[in-house]
Amino acid sequence: MTVHYNPITKEPYLQLPAPCANIIITPYREHQIKEDTNAMTSSLNDPRVYPWLQGPPYPFLRKHGEDWIKTKIQENKAAVAALQDEFENKPQTNASHQRQTENQFFGQCPFLCIREVGEDPSGAQDTLIGEIALIRYSFYEIRRNSWELALVQAHNKQLPVGHEDIVWTLGCTIRLSTMYYALTNTDYLSPTHHGKGIMSRAVQAVIRDWAVPRMNMNHLRGSFVVGNVGSQRVFERNNFEEVGVFKDWLPENSKKSLGKMSIVIMEWKGLL
């Protein structure tokens, strides 16, 4: 079983492999918006995190976190409901129908919240320690505002759910200039959990347990800011290879006291 379910709440989740089996990836929870907002605000204002993230505003306010979480809850409500229905109805179905249901592809990844599991089996004491996202790729290596960019973005967006040619990326959509771009370096992990291999295994779980079997993902790209050794290692451990470096691609950010930054584009070469 690639997707697990909390027996009390019926919440679907992914579980990281050992030695990080106490870490799970869940959808955002309506009943924990306050707690998740507090954790997110702390991480995204930490100097060990925010310099590598171009997307989230800085300083990151509670209002930003609340709005983000509520948006993601709404965006993923249908997918979560479909998974819960799949779980609840599975005992009444035969094996053939189960295989057919599990082969129905999803067009998104509802698993965003990296959580450390608490003692309460309902998940009430789980702690948000980071976020990971998976969306359709925006081809930001192509010249901005060009007709070529508009063409490939439209083509990738219009491909139907489950199509093998869809190009995906790890990250979320942020605004740079007058266009939207998807950047890998919007994913983050709390500094209290750096250096433990958690993000590497989170990427592995999302790819292996969800994106490949439930989204029919075949193509995946990502990026990191030059100098972010931690992100570079995450990609390398998950069989990504460098395909290009874009010098001074990210604009200056006066609020973060950052100059222009270069990014490295990475491409996934398949499951190990």
Side-chain angles (χ1 to χ4, degrees):
M1 179 187 295
T2 55
V3 177
H4 302 268
Y5 294 86
N6 184 299
I8 298 175
T9 65
K10 299 182 177 63
E11 177 188 61
Y13 66 91
L14 306 179
Q15 185 171 25
L16 271 59
C20 298
N22 65 320
I23 307 296
I24 62 175
I25 311 176
T26 76
Y28 274 109
R29 300 166 173 169
E30 289 193 68
H31 62 282
Q32 287 189 323
I33 292 178
K34 179 180 178 180
E35 294 84 351
D36 288 350
T37 297
N38 290 339
M40 182 185 298
T41 303
S42 176
S43 291
L44 295 183
N45 285 310
D46 192 293
R48 293 166 291 181
V49 174
Y50 73 75
W52 305 113
L53 305 178
Q54 187 67 19
Y58 179 81
F60 191 84
L61 308 178
R62 284 188 51 83
K63 176 64 174 174
H64 297 142
E66 290 174 359
D67 289 347
W68 176 257
I69 292 171
K70 290 177 181 178
T71 297
K72 293 304 164 184
I73 289 173
Q74 190 62 36
E75 286 180 357
N76 292 300
K77 184 171 291 186
V80 172
L83 285 169
Q84 290 174 329
D85 181 67
E86 184 178 298
F87 170 67
E88 291 173 346
N89 292 324
K90 188 169 286 190
Q92 286 80 40
T93 61
N94 57 41
S96 176
H97 182 73
Q98 287 183 30
R99 288 193 296 270
Q100 182 181 2
T101 300
E102 292 178 353
N103 285 333
Q104 293 176 350
F105 294 126
F106 285 77
Q108 65 204 90
C109 179
F111 305 103
L112 296 98
C113 305
I114 306 173
R115 300 184 187 274
E116 187 168 33
V117 176
E119 295 182 1
D120 190 328
S122 72
Q125 295 179 342
D126 295 351
T127 303
L128 180 72
I129 61 172
E131 181 176 304
I132 183 170
L134 184 66
I135 64 170
R136 297 199 187 203
Y137 189 53
S138 293
F139 301 92
Y140 45 85
E141 66 270 27
I142 300 177
R143 184 168 54 89
R144 299 174 186 176
N145 302 319
S146 66
W147 66 267
E148 296 96 338
L149 177 62
L151 185 65
V152 295
Q153 285 181 336
H155 174 71
N156 199 45
K157 183 178 180 180
Q158 291 167 5
L159 289 172
V161 170
H163 198 287
E164 62 181 9
D165 291 337
I166 297 173
V167 183
W168 299 92
T169 188
L170 291 160
C172 64
T173 303
I174 65 171
R175 181 177 285 279
L176 291 178
S177 183
T178 59
M179 296 294 293
Y180 279 106
Y181 295 91
L183 296 177
T184 304
N185 58 357
T186 52
D187 296 337
Y188 71 92
L189 190 68
S190 169
T192 58
H193 290 72
H194 285 180
K196 300 179 180 180
I198 293 174
M199 187 58 85
S200 294
R201 291 178 175 87
V203 171
Q204 176 189 358
V206 167
I207 292 174
R208 182 196 62 194
D209 296 343
W210 179 257
V212 171
R214 302 310 305 267
M215 297 173 66
N216 196 32
M217 186 191 75
N218 288 274
H219 307 284
L220 177 63
R221 287 194 170 192
S223 70
F224 64 90
V225 174
V226 170
N228 190 344
V229 178
S231 290
Q232 179 179 351
R233 289 174 178 168
V234 168
F235 284 116
E236 291 173 347
R237 289 168 180 166
N238 281 282
N239 201 26
F240 283 74
E241 293 183 1
E242 180 181 320
V243 295
V245 178
F246 291 83
K247 184 175 176 57
D248 297 335
W249 194 90
L250 295 175
E252 295 179 0
N253 190 322
S254 59
K255 290 186 177 181
K256 295 182 180 180
S257 300
L258 297 174
K260 293 181 179 180
M261 295 189 294
S262 303
I263 61 170
V264 181
I265 309 297
M266 305 290 284
E267 186 171 56
W268 180 60
K269 296 303 179 180
L271 290 170
L272 292 172

